[in-house]
Amino acid sequence: MNDESQNKMGSPTPEELRQQVERTRDELGQTVEALARKADVKAQAKEKTAAAKKQASEKTAELKEQAAEKTAAAREQAAEKATAVKEQAAEKSAELKEQAAEKTAAAKDQAAEKAAAVREQAAAATAQIREKAAQAAQAVKDRTPDPVQEKTAQAATQVRESAARAGQFAVDRTPGPLLEKADRVAKAARANRTPLLAGGAVLVAFLLIRRGRGRNK
């Protein structure tokens, strides 16, 4: 009775012990499986992290390489464009210089032609003046009596002598700079001396003729 009461009171039966062992075994198995799954997840996470890092590193290296290639290509294109711009600028500058030289040469030719035309016109006008003055002088001389011509010659001689004396006096009293200017003016006057002398002779002869006619009246 004591054994039966003891089994009934607190001692488990063999069947109960077997069931407890099986439950414990199942629980341990589940725990082991859970731990294995957790360990597998961590390993996979590490592998994924390592793969992601590797991919990121490879992608970074690839991007760097592409960026370097693009930079080199851009530099090469910029250098080619700069060279092309320099060549175009040099060609344009040479073209402008050539055009400027052509225009300058054309302007010089035109100026030379105009100057030649002006010189020809001036020479023709001077020749006409000289011819007219000579004709007028000859006409006056033909119409002037001999006594009047002699008086005219004497008067001209006196005028030249007086002018020479006055000129020498002025030279003696004139400063050097004024003398240089006067010399230039004299050279210009000598260039047209023949028309002036002819005109002066005509004027003097005309005045003497009028004077002689007045006396005859």
Side-chain angles (χ1 to χ4, degrees), residues 2-124:
N2 291 332
D3 293 336
E4 291 179 359
S5 60
Q6 186 175 359
N7 290 333
K8 291 179 180 180
M9 292 291 294
S11 298
T13 63
E15 184 62 24
E16 291 177 349
L17 290 174
R18 187 179 62 78
Q19 291 177 357
Q20 289 179 358
V21 170
E22 288 181 357
R23 285 196 301 270
T24 302
R25 185 181 298 168
D26 292 336
E27 290 175 357
L28 288 175
Q30 293 176 359
T31 301
V32 171
E33 288 180 358
L35 291 174
R37 284 196 297 271
K38 289 182 179 180
D40 186 45
V41 169
K42 290 183 179 180
Q44 290 178 358
K46 288 182 179 180
E47 290 178 357
K48 290 181 179 179
T49 302
K53 288 183 178 179
K54 185 177 180 181
Q55 289 179 355
S57 178
E58 292 176 352
K59 191 66 176 178
T60 301
E62 183 179 357
L63 292 175
K64 286 183 178 180
E65 186 177 357
Q66 291 177 356
E69 291 177 354
K70 290 181 179 179
T71 302
R75 288 179 180 175
E76 186 177 357
Q77 290 177 356
E80 291 177 354
K81 288 183 179 179
T83 303
V85 169
K86 287 182 179 179
E87 291 178 354
Q88 291 177 356
E91 291 177 357
K92 191 66 176 179
S93 179
E95 183 179 355
L96 292 175
K97 287 181 179 179
E98 186 177 357
Q99 292 177 355
E102 291 177 355
K103 290 181 180 179
T104 302
K108 287 182 178 179
D109 292 339
Q110 291 178 357
E113 291 176 357
K114 289 182 180 179
V118 170
R119 285 196 296 269
E120 290 178 358
Q121 293 175 358

Side-chain angles (χ1 to χ4, degrees), residues 114-170:
K114 289 182 180 179
V118 170
R119 285 196 296 269
E120 290 178 358
Q121 293 175 358
T126 303
Q128 291 178 358
I129 292 172
R130 287 178 180 176
E131 185 178 356
K132 290 181 179 179
Q135 292 175 357
Q138 186 63 38
V140 172
K141 184 177 180 182
D142 293 339
R143 294 179 182 180
T144 303
D146 293 338
V148 176
Q149 291 184 12
E150 292 178 0
K151 289 181 180 180
T152 302
Q154 292 175 0
T157 302
Q158 290 177 359
V159 170
R160 285 195 297 271
E161 291 177 355
S162 298
R165 287 194 297 271
Q168 186 62 41
F169 181 77

Side-chain angles (χ1 to χ4, degrees), residues 169-179 182:
F169 181 77
V171 169
D172 295 337
R173 292 180 176 272
T174 302
L178 292 178
L179 287 176

